[in-house]
Amino acid sequence: NLQPESGLNRRNNKMRNAFRKIFAPPVFPEDEDKTRSAAVLNFAGWSIVGVDLIVLLLVRPLLSGEAIFGINNLILLGIVFITLLALYISHLGYVKLGSFIVIALGWIGLTSLTLPSDGIRDAAFMAYILPILMAGLLLGWRWAIGFIALSILSGWALASAEVHGLVKSTTYQPYDFALIMTGVFAI
């Protein structure tokens, strides 16, 4: 087509390019492994953001009646912001640091979700598999073993807290538990 591009098409192309730039993983031509890790982090990070915002912050309050700004949702919102920060850091070239931030603070976020609710019986405890897998993919097997050890210690600490009455286990409503596990599996 030899016709000049209209102003509207030019604006649409600029918006499309800006949209791609935000959501596309960074590419490091000099380092294929770094590019691969950045792509995995980018996919995982945007998945975490999407699932947390859509399923856990919007759908969950509708099904369970929990306030949008309840403690668990504020923790999830913090995870979203930290994940966005880590994605930005990875675009600056610090992929390992961005990966560590997402994994470590995701693990801490999951731990903080277990404390005010069901402790070792909480779905967030079962979700520890996510940071362990991400550590193996993004940081290597040594980091994965480290997160496995932390998760095991956390499990025993949560069990001890329940035995000593510091955590009171309640029973999830079936739809609440199904929704939480949907978020875990989706991520």
Side-chain angles (χ1 to χ4, degrees), residues 20 36-37 48 50 57 95 106 109 132 141 158 173-174:
R20 283 185 190 138
R36 181 201 57 80
S37 291
I48 290 167
L57 290 176
V95 176
I132 292 168
W141 64 270
L158 289 167
Q173 294 299 316

Side-chain angles (χ1 to χ4, degrees), residues 8-187:
L8 183 60
N9 284 340
R10 214 178 355 253
R11 236 175 304 151
N12 285 341
N13 285 337
K14 283 183 181 180
M15 284 182 18
R16 220 174 290 125
N17 288 339
F19 188 75
R20 283 185 190 138
K21 188 176 181 179
I22 290 171
F23 291 103
V27 176
F28 305 99
E30 73 284 352
D31 192 341
E32 190 176 305
D33 190 48
K34 189 175 183 179
T35 298
R36 181 201 57 80
S37 291
V40 171
L41 175 62
N42 194 68
F43 179 78
W46 285 114
S47 296
I48 290 167
V49 168
V51 168
D52 278 1
L53 287 178
I54 294 169
V55 175
L56 300 176
L57 290 176
L58 298 176
V59 176
R60 190 168 148 208
L62 293 174
L63 290 179
S64 69
E66 181 182 345
I68 289 179
F69 293 108
I71 187 70
N72 286 346
N73 286 343
L74 290 176
I75 292 168
L76 294 171
L77 191 59
I79 291 171
V80 167
F81 286 127
I82 291 166
T83 301
L84 290 172
L85 173 67
L87 290 172
Y88 175 74
I89 289 170
S90 77
H91 277 267
L92 296 176
Y94 302 103
V95 176
K96 292 276 188 200
L97 177 60
S99 298
F100 180 76
I101 289 170
V102 166
I103 296 164
L105 293 177
W107 189 91
I108 291 167
L110 290 170
T111 302
S112 64
L113 288 171
T114 65
L115 296 174
S117 51
D118 287 326
I120 197 162
R121 299 169 207 266
D122 194 83
F125 181 75
M126 290 180 242
Y128 276 160
I129 193 67
L130 297 173
I132 292 168
L133 291 172
M134 287 178 63
L137 279 171
L138 298 171
L139 301 174
W141 64 270
R142 287 184 177 104
W143 283 100
I145 290 173
F147 279 98
I148 289 169
L150 277 174
S151 298
I152 291 169
L153 288 172
S154 175
W156 283 99
L158 289 167
S160 177
E162 185 176 335
V163 166
H164 291 92
L166 300 173
V167 173
K168 301 233 187 288
S169 182
T170 60
T171 304
Y172 274 108
Q173 294 299 316
Y175 288 127
D176 292 341
F177 190 76
L179 180 63
I180 292 167
M181 293 313 296
T182 298
V184 168
F185 293 142
I187 291 171

